[in-house]
Amino acid sequence: MKICFYPGCSFATSAGYKESTEAVCRKLNIELNEIPDWNCCGATVMFGENKLRATTLAARHFALVQTMGFEDLVTGCNACYATLRKAARLLDRDRELFQKTQEVLHNLGLELDRIPKVRHLLEVLMEAMPDSTSDKYKTLSVGAYYGCQLTRPDQELDKGWYPEILEHFLARIGFSVKEHSARTQCCGASHAVIYKNECQGLSHRIIREIANKGAQVITTVCPLCQFNLDQAQTQNNEPRLPVTYFTQLAGLALGLAPAELGLNKLLVSADKVLTRP
Amino acid sequence: MSQNDTNPFSAIAHLESIKQCIQCGTCSGSCPLADLMDHAPRELFALLREGAFDEVLHSNTPWFCVSCYACMVRCPREIPVTDLMYAFKEVITKQGTAPKNLKMPDMYQAFSHNIKETGKVTESQVMARYGMKHPLDALKNIPLAIKMQMRGRLELKAQKVADPKSITRLFELTEIPKDKP
Ligand code: SF4
Ligand code: SF4
Ligand code: SF4
Ligand code: SF4
C-alpha cells in the first residue's frame, strides 16, 4: 500500500511517533510518501485570524497531493486532521471561497482542481494491521485516549462523544482495554502551555479517570495530546501512567523492539509495564 | 454607555442561528475552559442577541475556546458554536478589540508570525517571540524544555519550507484591509 503523508510540525519531535510510525509501516509494507515541502496547516490559530488564509494554507497541500497523483491525504495529528478537514469541508460547500483559494494558489504556481479525502493514520492501520495471534500483551490494560478533534465535529469516523474504534483496534491487535469516560475530554490544547496552572486540572482529570478504571498505560493518536498528558505527570505525585502512541503499541504487537519505536522518549517511562518475558 | 449601533458581527455566516438558542447552557456546561471565560458561550449568545456588541467585541471568551467541538456536537439546536467562536475572533482581530492583557492573542500572533516567516512552526521560536511580551511565562517553560532536550524532543533548529518567500506571499495575497474603528 502507498499513502500520501502529511506529518505536521509536531510529528518529528514527538515522543517516538515518527519512529514508531515508520517502523510499523516498514513492517506492514506501507510506503509513506511525505508531501514534499509541506507547510504548517495553521491549526486552530489561522481560522480565527483570516478564513481565506487558513483555507489556502491547508489547500496548498491539496494541490500538492494532486501533483503527487494521490486521492487521499493521511495525517497522524488530530489538530492537522481537524484543520485540513475543516478546510476541505469549507471548500466543498463554498464556491466563492474555492475560487479565491484557487486564485491565490495559482499565483504561487499551484493548481487546485479537486479536494482529497483527509484521513487519520489510525484508519490506515485499522485496515492494515493483522489480528493478534499471541497472548503476550493480553494482560496489559490500556486506556484509549482520543482527544477531542478526531471524531468532532463531523463524527464521520465514530461517535463524537463516546467513540469506540480505538478500543476495538487495540483489542484486535492483542491488548486488553479498560473502558473509561475521559476518552474525548479536552486536555486544553495549546492553552495548556501558557495557562499551565489553569489547564493542569484538565489533564489530571483525564489521567485520574483512566488510572481509576485500572489501566496501566494510556495510548493516544495525536502529538499534542501525548505531550499534554505526559508532561502533566512530571510535576506531581499523582498516578504515573506512561502515555504511548497507538503506533508504538502496534509496533509491539508486531514484535518490534521498544527502542525501534522511540519508547525511550516518553517522559513517564514505560519500561516497567511493557517488559514482557 | 458607548454601544455600537451597527452589528459588527453581521457578516458572519450562521449568525442568524443564535436566534434558535434556547439558553439551555449545554455548551457552557460542556466547555473545558468555561471557568476562564468572562461570558461562557450561552451568555455570549444572549449578549449578542440583545445587541451588547461592545461586550462581545471585548470578551475574552473566543480566545479561550480551544476548539474541542464538545459544545457543537451536543447543542440541541445544532448551533455551530465553535465555528461562531472562530468567526468572532476574526472580527475582533480585524477591529483590534482583543483584551490588551490577554496572553492568547499574543500567542496566536507569535504562531502566525512564525508560519509567515518560515512556512512552519518551531516551538522554540514561537515561545521566544511570545516570551518577548511574557518573559515570565517563557521562563516557566525552561525546566520542561530541558527535559525535552534531554530526550531529543526539543526542536531548536528552525523548521522551514524550501521557499519561505512563497508562504509570505500567500499571507500578502490573503491580507484583508484593517477596518478603522
Ligand atoms: S496543527 Fe500543529 S502539528 Fe499540525 S501542522 Fe500545525 S503546528 Fe504543526
Ligand atoms: S485533546 Fe487536546 S491536544 Fe488532543 S486534540 Fe483535543 S485539544 Fe488537541
Ligand atoms: S447548547 Fe445550544 S441551545 Fe443550548 S445554550 Fe448553548 S448554543 Fe444555546
Ligand atoms: S469548542 Fe470552544 S466553546 Fe465549545 S466547548 Fe470547546 S472550548 Fe468551549
Side-chain angles (χ1 to χ4, degrees):
Chain A
M1 191 192 339
K2 287 182 183 186
I3 59 171
C4 174
F5 191 65
Y6 175 73
C9 309
S10 316
F11 186 69
T13 48
S14 63
Y17 204 8
K18 181 175 157 67
E19 291 88 333
S20 55
T21 299
E22 288 173 357
V24 166
C25 286
R26 227 179 291 127
K27 182 90 181 174
L28 295 173
N29 265 322
I30 299 171
E31 191 182 300
L32 278 172
N33 293 279
E34 187 172 307
I35 300 181
D37 206 30
W38 55 271
N39 57 270
C40 172
C41 68
T44 43
V45 171
M46 216 47 77
F47 274 103
E49 178 178 300
N50 175 328
K51 190 163 153 189
L52 175 63
R53 181 176 294 163
T55 313
T56 315
L57 270 179
R60 181 173 172 271
H61 304 103
F62 301 165
L64 292 172
V65 171
Q66 191 177 317
T67 25
M68 292 168 76
F70 282 93
E71 304 283 330
D72 300 354
L73 176 168
V74 178
T75 177
C77 168
N78 281 3
C80 301
Y81 177 76
T83 306
L84 295 173
R85 282 182 80 94
K86 181 171 179 160
R89 201 162 53 233
L90 285 171
L91 287 170
D92 203 39
R93 287 186 198 153
D94 187 339
R95 200 65 222 154
E96 199 191 322
L97 185 67
F98 188 83
Q99 276 162 358
K100 280 192 190 156
T101 306
Q102 260 181 332
E103 238 167 74
V104 179
L105 288 173
H106 181 77
N107 265 302
L108 301 173
L110 292 164
E111 302 308 325
L112 176 74
D113 307 306
R114 57 187 155 83
I115 305 161
K117 185 167 167 56
V118 180
R119 306 179 74 209
H120 195 283
L121 185 61
L122 174 62
E123 296 174 72
V124 175
L125 292 196
M126 282 198 305
E127 287 167 20
M129 276 293 285
D131 287 354
S132 168
T133 50
S134 126
D135 281 344
K136 195 170 176 192
Y137 293 103
K138 269 276 170 304
T139 52
L140 183 70
S141 28
V142 186
Y145 180 64
Y146 294 79
C148 40
Q149 306 194 56
L150 181 70
T151 56
R152 296 199 291 253
D154 42 76
Q155 314 197 51
E156 194 184 299
L157 257 185
D158 203 346
K159 299 172 292 297
W161 193 254
Y162 197 80
E164 293 168 294
I165 43 168
L166 192 49
E167 278 84 359
H168 293 159
F169 174 73
L170 292 168
R172 189 165 72 70
I173 65 171
F175 293 88
S176 137
V177 283
K178 287 286 177 205
E179 293 287 324
H180 67 90
S181 56
R183 43 189 91 193
T184 62
Q185 271 179 20
C186 177
C187 66
S190 54
H191 285 63
V193 179
I194 56 170
Y195 290 97
K196 232 187 195 139
N197 298 339
E198 295 87 342
C199 291
Q200 207 68 278
L202 298 175
S203 290
H204 288 154
R205 190 176 61 176
I206 295 163
I207 296 157
R208 235 175 285 139
E209 160 68 7
I210 300 178
N212 284 344
K213 299 289 156 73
Q216 297 161 278
V217 41
I218 299 176
T219 207
T220 59
V221 297
C222 159
L224 196 53
C225 298
Q226 193 282 336
F227 174 75
N228 278 346
L229 295 190
D230 200 7
Q231 72 84 25
Q233 300 180 75
T234 56
Q235 317 110 321
N236 69 26
N237 31 26
E238 307 250 346
R240 287 170 79 80
L241 289 185
V243 187
T244 60
Y245 287 106
F246 76 106
T247 43
Q248 291 174 321
L249 297 188
L252 291 174
L254 290 170
L256 300 171
E260 249 181 295
L261 304 168
L263 277 158
N264 54 322
K265 291 192 173 179
L266 308 183
L267 294 172
V268 176
S269 165
D271 293 354
K272 247 205 209 128
V273 290
L274 295 183
T275 308
R276 285 287 179 282
Chain B
M1 283 253 285
S2 66
Q3 288 285 354
N4 256 313
D5 291 336
T6 48
N7 182 352
F9 300 98
S10 59
I12 295 176
H14 308 300
L15 190 71
E16 284 291 297
S17 70
I18 66 169
K19 292 191 177 153
Q20 304 295 323
C21 172
I22 53 171
Q23 292 285 299
C24 67
T26 303
C27 49
S28 303
S30 312
C31 181
L33 291 185
D35 288 352
L36 301 179
M37 296 170 171
D38 46 18
H39 309 290
R42 177 199 61 80
E43 204 174 296
L44 197 72
F45 294 154
L47 285 167
L48 189 52
R49 216 154 57 172
E50 288 152 16
F53 304 129
D54 275 356
E55 289 277 344
V56 181
L57 281 173
H58 293 95
S59 168
N60 69 17
T61 301
W63 301 100
F64 278 115
C65 172
V66 291
S67 191
C68 73
Y69 293 98
C71 49
M72 217 158 124
V73 296
R74 293 177 118 186
C75 169
R77 307 306 307 251
E78 295 180 9
I79 294 165
V81 183
T82 319
D83 293 344
L84 288 168
M85 292 295 164
Y86 276 115
F88 294 161
K89 264 184 285 200
E90 215 181 326
V91 173
I92 292 168
T93 305
K94 222 163 94 181
Q95 302 245 345
T97 59
K100 287 281 170 284
N101 54 353
L102 204 61
K103 297 194 272 185
M104 222 50 213
D106 293 335
M107 181 55 129
Y108 278 28
Q109 243 168 34
F111 191 96
S112 174
H113 185 264
N114 199 209
I115 303 179
K116 185 179 178 183
E117 300 284 300
T118 69
K120 291 188 183 175
V121 161
T122 309
E123 285 146 50
S124 53
Q125 287 197 337
V126 175
M127 279 319 277
R129 192 177 175 86
Y130 168 81
M132 296 195 302
K133 285 194 176 163
H134 305 274
L136 270 179
D137 262 30
L139 272 177
K140 266 194 271 174
N141 277 300
I142 288 179
L144 180 65
I146 294 170
K147 267 196 187 128
M148 303 277 290
Q149 173 72 24
M150 279 161 54
R151 283 172 176 74
R153 284 174 51 190
L154 192 69
E155 188 78 67
L156 290 170
K157 216 175 96 242
Q159 307 195 68
K160 261 194 185 119
V161 296
D163 177 19
K165 280 203 200 75
S166 70
I167 303 293
T168 310
R169 179 102 184 96
L170 187 156
F171 270 67
E172 286 161 5
L173 288 168
T174 52
E175 196 66 63
I176 1 174
K178 266 223 171 357
D179 286 356
K180 289 276 168 288

